[in-house]
Amino acid sequence: MTSIAEPPADAPCDLRLSDAALADGSRATVDILGDRVAALRDPGAPLPPAGRTIDLGGALVLPGLTDGHVHLDKCLLGLPWRPHAAAGSVRAIIDDEKAFRRATRIPLAEQGAEALLERMLRGGTTSLRTHVDVDDVTRLDHLAQILDLRARWSDRLQIQIVAFPQSGILGCPPVADDLDAALRMGADLVGGLDPVGIDGDRDGHLDVVFALAERHGRGIDIHLHEGGTAGLATIAAIAARTGAAGLGGQVTISHAFALADADDLELGRIAEALNRAGVAILSSVPGGTRCPPILRLRDLGVPVCFGTDNVRDCWNPATVTSMVARAQLAAYRFDLRTDADLAALLAPITAVPARMLGLGPGAVAPGARADLIAFAAGGVPQVIVERQEPVLVVARGAVAVDRRGAADGNPPP
């Protein structure tokens, strides 16, 4: 049974969600004041005045979902279909994307960023971390546009921005200075990319990234596609630098494909280093053979978050924008069938990113940000295996999506 905090009996609220089922199977009335959850009240408890009441009729209420890794500036959902053109290597895709950008000058909101945000919100995502390219083609233009988009969507979505050196740092001369400027402009984190595979200098690349993070007091999120011994050595180096710099809880390694190449003994050593340093792993649960052993990492105590990564762009034509669908991909990939295993997939899109990335409420609890989603389901396992869309999305205390009654053609009350 969820521990329900009882506020003063006469404390009013702006929005009340009555007869809500919580993830542990208990029932509660959820009171919202401003952009925060004010109280969880036991069924039958006295109810003070509410500005608006929505009777959920036993619908399952969960915290808003977090997408820990997406690329708003790359998305092409607003354009006609573009066949996937590049193949063979990360460098080949980078070159293809830069050629596309030189030939296409469409505002990012129209190109697909706005459409992607709309889809994400409808699917229950209320917080996200987006990487924004900083290279010799985009310079700081993409960052300026995404900063503007973040401001316009701030009433609905919590958005973190990573200044991301998609073309590398050492081999792309303007980037080091532009990353510094990006952090002054308002980027929340500094990114990195394949220090050996792209820049050919692990220490040189990481020197720049960690120096910028320490200078500006920001976190780090590094894309690491490198596999095998080189990739594992880079993960170890990132963990060591994180501990030395006192950046525990502020560093994420995205993708970390090399972890799929480690035997269990080596994985145990790396997990110990990651835990000691306070480094999180972010995975999009990719296909093929390069998916990190997510369940084993979790068992070893490593915090793992999920993200969508690429959505209809030069890197990937796929259009999976729902974090519920992402959790279902993990269930499919790892053959998870029991209710306990399925329910555990909620953590990488709620509690873990709240703790490690500072994104989302993480839980339905008094004092938490009032980002809440409701499903017509008997529990979390059903939501995941059926890839359900929420019937109600509350963002920052306001109703953002309301599908109640849509199935039978009746408008929501």
Side-chain angles (χ1 to χ4, degrees):
M1 175 72 174
T2 296
S3 175
I4 296 180
E6 291 293 345
D10 59 349
C13 66
D14 298 319
L15 176 63
R16 171 169 293 144
L17 306 180
S18 65
D19 195 17
L22 303 181
D24 64 0
S26 63
R27 294 287 183 101
T29 293
V30 183
D31 280 2
I32 296 168
L33 181 64
D35 65 354
R36 297 284 153 178
V37 175
L40 300 181
R41 300 182 185 275
D42 280 310
L47 297 176
R52 180 186 179 188
T53 297
I54 296 176
D55 184 353
L56 291 179
L60 175 67
V61 173
L62 301 175
L65 307 180
T66 295
D67 187 329
H69 185 118
V70 69
H71 294 266
L72 290 176
D73 66 325
K74 296 178 183 290
C75 183
L76 307 178
L77 278 173
L79 303 182
W81 178 263
R82 179 185 186 271
H84 185 64
S89 68
V90 170
R91 174 60 71 185
I93 301 176
I94 291 172
D95 291 343
D96 174 68
E97 182 177 53
K98 291 172 77 169
F100 170 79
R101 285 178 170 166
R102 290 187 183 98
T104 307
R105 297 291 179 179
I106 299 173
L108 297 180
E110 297 175 23
Q111 178 179 289
E114 199 104 45
L116 178 52
L117 290 178
E118 290 170 357
R119 291 193 185 196
M120 294 171 80
L121 185 62
R122 291 199 302 270
T125 294
T126 57
S127 58
L128 62 100
R129 175 179 285 183
T130 183
H131 299 258
V132 179
D133 286 8
V134 175
D135 62 23
D136 53 338
V137 174
T138 66
R139 301 301 299 268
L140 297 171
D141 175 61
H142 280 197
L143 175 63
Q145 292 186 59
I146 297 300
L147 285 167
D148 177 68
L149 194 67
R150 174 168 71 178
R152 291 193 284 109
W153 277 77
S154 62
D155 61 332
R156 289 156 286 177
L157 288 169
Q158 180 189 10
I159 300 176
Q160 286 182 352
I161 297 175
V162 183
F164 175 50
Q166 179 68 89
S167 296
I169 298 175
L170 307 180
C172 196
V175 169
D177 289 341
D178 284 350
L179 289 174
D180 187 71
L183 295 170
R184 292 197 304 271
M185 284 176 63
D188 301 290
L189 302 100
V190 59
L193 171 71
D194 294 348
V196 175
I198 295 298
D199 270 344
D201 184 346
R202 177 185 299 115
D203 288 338
H205 185 99
L206 294 179
D207 282 347
V208 175
V209 171
F210 276 83
L212 286 168
E214 293 183 74
R215 183 184 311 153
H216 291 274
R218 306 295 170 83
I220 294 170
D221 193 322
I222 297 181
H223 285 54
L224 192 62
H225 305 97
E226 298 167 356
T229 302
L232 293 171
T234 299
I235 292 172
I238 293 170
R241 285 173 177 262
T242 299
L247 289 173
Q250 300 180 67
V251 176
T252 304
I253 303 175
S254 288
H255 308 315
F257 292 153
L259 293 175
D261 301 325
D263 61 32
D264 198 61
L265 181 62
E266 188 166 26
L267 191 66
R269 288 196 294 264
I270 293 173
E272 183 180 358
L274 293 172
N275 289 331
R276 187 168 55 248
V279 176
I281 298 296
L282 188 293
S283 179
S284 63
V285 196
T289 60
R290 308 199 73 190
C291 184
I294 291 170
L295 302 185
R296 183 65 179 135
L297 289 168
R298 183 192 64 192
D299 291 344
L300 291 168
V302 178
V304 179
C305 309
F306 291 166
T308 58
D309 199 12
N310 301 99
V311 176
R312 187 68 60 78
D313 59 19
C314 294
W315 289 71
N316 195 330
T319 313
V320 179
T321 60
S322 162
M323 294 312 296
V324 169
R326 192 63 50 176
Q328 193 274 336
L329 286 176
Y332 178 79
R333 179 173 186 106
F334 296 104
D335 195 25
L336 303 180
R337 305 187 184 203
T338 69
D339 276 10
D341 284 341
L342 291 167
L345 293 174
L346 182 64
I349 55 178
T350 56
V352 178
R355 185 176 78 250
M356 297 302 299
L357 310 184
L359 278 170
V364 180
R369 181 178 165 116
D371 293 340
L372 305 169
I373 54 179
F375 294 89
V380 172
Q382 183 181 357
V383 170
I384 291 174
V385 297
E386 294 180 358
R387 292 174 293 179
Q388 286 194 7
E389 289 190 316
V391 296
L392 185 74
V393 177
V394 175
R396 293 195 67 181
V399 175
V401 178
D402 192 346
R403 295 187 178 95
R404 293 170 305 124
D408 56 14
N410 297 321

